[in-house]
Amino acid sequence: MSDVIMVLAHAEEFSHMKLRRTEKKHPFLLSLFLPKVLNEINSAASTQNHLEGPGKKKSTAITLRKVQNTADKVFVLVNEACTDNPCEKLDFSLRKEIDVICDAGVRVAKALGQFCIYKHKLAATAHALLLAKCLQVRLWEGSKHVCRQLK
């Protein structure tokens, strides 16, 4: 599933988004010792898919990679949009970008599913269509919540 999310994150629809300095660090606290917001979300236990760094695939320890570019930002925000316990530290601009990602992500994931059907890739088709469904509902499949209440 994380491969499909990474393909979605590299889509042209998200090229206008930029990774800003204020998103790397917590905007209200300017200490070097505090965790960075997007990297904190990536390393949270509630995150289903993590950005993984280079390493051996056979080892059980996962080395997490820091958010370095726009595709990584979209990857982390997709996970944040569908998590059971959303982060309270997100500012208004990141919340609006999550809305944009979810709206455009559903279309891109459905198109990716159609492309995978054309290429006869069954597993990739299933993952792409499942991602489209999860982005539309904004919850991962198998979540403990049945439905998120409208705000």
Side-chain angles (χ1 to χ4, degrees), residues 58-103:
K58 295 180 181 178
S59 68
T60 57
I62 297 173
T63 57
L64 297 179
R65 177 165 61 97
K66 291 185 178 182
V67 176
Q68 298 172 348
N69 55 27
T70 306
D72 293 346
K73 174 183 174 178
V74 172
F75 184 91
V76 169
L77 290 179
V78 164
N79 282 299
E80 178 61 23
C82 296
T83 188
D84 291 340
N85 303 320
C87 181
E88 299 297 325
K89 296 180 180 178
L90 294 179
D91 61 344
F92 181 75
S93 65
L94 283 177
R95 291 184 193 275
K96 286 301 168 189
E97 285 181 344
I98 286 176
D99 292 340
V100 169
I101 288 169
C102 288
D103 292 341

Side-chain angles (χ1 to χ4, degrees), residues 1-47:
M1 178 67 98
S2 61
D3 294 335
V4 175
I5 297 172
M6 192 53 79
V7 169
L8 175 90
H10 282 90
E12 187 68 28
E13 279 81 357
F14 308 122
S15 63
H16 68 279
M17 292 184 184
K18 302 295 180 208
L19 181 62
R20 296 180 287 274
R21 226 179 244 191
T22 58
E23 295 166 353
K24 292 181 182 179
K25 289 189 179 178
H26 194 280
F28 302 113
L29 305 169
L30 298 176
S31 172
L32 294 174
F33 301 107
L34 293 173
K36 298 176 170 115
V37 175
L38 291 175
N39 291 325
E40 182 181 324
I41 293 169
N42 185 38
S43 62
S46 64
T47 303

